[in-house]
Amino acid sequence: MRSWEQNVEQERNREKDMREKLLSVIEKNSRIDMKELAVIMGVEEIDIANELAALESEGIICGYHTLIDWEKTSIEKVSALIEVRVTPQRGQGFDSIAERIYKYPEVNSVYLISGGFDLLVTLEGKSLKEISAFVSDKLSTLDTVLSTATHFILKKYKDHGTILAKKSEDTREKVTP
């Protein structure tokens, strides 16, 4: 006969597996219907709703986003990746400077990275000039920023696991010599 501890452990593992599967499914398609999710997961709709609410309240699910291929619109957007070398703050490490940077509204994300730079900042602007102004007027003037390297994204092929630049069929007539 199984002990009470084994039953509790088995239930925890089941919940962990359900969470992992649920998060994997909604990461690829956050618009999936609750009924469809319940079928995929093999549980009741109310269980899905409760689990999603718990994941949101625990801060595991931080938001729901729409991935847009801006190249297919008439809206001009420029994306950039900016590597930043900083002096970490005593007792705070990189956290306080990262917070100062991510509070700028034009910043999409800030990552602590390994290698020659400390932080990777991503942002979007209307033009190269707008991004350049952000780097020169705001980012590089922060007292803990030692240097930056800005990389402009020329074309996105895949973003957040979604292929954006699909190969188009060559419709030209083949000519042989």
Side-chain angles (χ1 to χ4, degrees):
M1 186 163 132
R2 289 191 172 171
S3 69
W4 178 80
E5 291 89 9
Q6 288 175 320
N7 288 337
V8 169
E9 184 65 28
Q10 189 177 27
E11 183 60 30
R12 280 190 193 134
N13 287 337
R14 237 190 322 269
E15 288 174 7
K16 183 182 172 201
D17 291 344
M18 178 179 157
R19 277 187 161 203
E20 189 174 321
K21 187 175 179 184
L22 178 61
L23 290 169
S24 295
V25 171
I26 64 169
E27 183 180 35
K28 289 179 179 61
N29 180 6
S30 62
R31 290 186 49 162
I32 191 166
D33 183 71
M34 288 260 199
K35 286 181 184 179
E36 191 175 343
L37 259 176
V39 169
I40 290 169
M41 302 292 296
V43 297
E44 298 294 321
E45 249 183 277
I46 189 69
D47 296 329
I48 296 293
N50 289 339
E51 192 61 35
L52 287 172
L55 290 164
E56 290 168 1
S57 69
E58 292 171 32
I60 295 170
I61 295 177
C62 302
Y64 300 90
H65 302 277
T66 303
L67 179 61
I68 299 168
D69 187 349
W70 290 103
E71 288 188 19
K72 293 181 179 175
T73 71
S74 60
I75 299 167
E76 291 293 321
K77 285 212 181 234
V78 177
S79 300
L81 305 171
I82 305 166
E83 296 172 305
V84 185
R85 189 173 294 120
V86 300
T87 303
Q89 299 295 299
R90 182 178 296 282
Q92 298 175 25
F94 297 100
D95 295 346
S96 63
I97 185 64
E99 182 178 359
R100 285 181 70 188
I101 294 170
Y102 71 61
K103 285 187 174 179
Y104 287 113
E106 46 278 79
V107 171
N108 288 335
S109 55
V110 178
Y111 304 101
L112 179 62
I113 59 173
S114 62
F117 288 86
D118 303 306
L119 300 172
L120 179 67
V121 178
T122 67
L123 64 118
E124 288 182 344
K126 294 178 183 174
S127 66
L128 296 174
K129 190 175 183 178
E130 188 176 289
I131 290 176
S132 297
F134 171 80
V135 174
S136 63
D137 299 343
K138 295 179 180 178
L139 189 59
S140 65
T141 60
L142 295 173
D143 53 344
T144 56
V145 171
L146 301 174
S147 64
T148 64
T150 302
H151 308 275
F152 291 101
I153 296 174
L154 303 177
K155 183 175 184 177
K156 291 182 182 180
Y157 294 96
K158 187 174 184 178
D159 195 3
H160 291 83
T162 301
I163 297 170
L164 301 176
K166 295 189 174 153
K167 276 188 167 181
S168 57
E169 262 316 289
D170 189 354
T171 57
R172 298 178 294 175
E173 186 175 327
K174 293 189 184 250
V175 178
T176 56

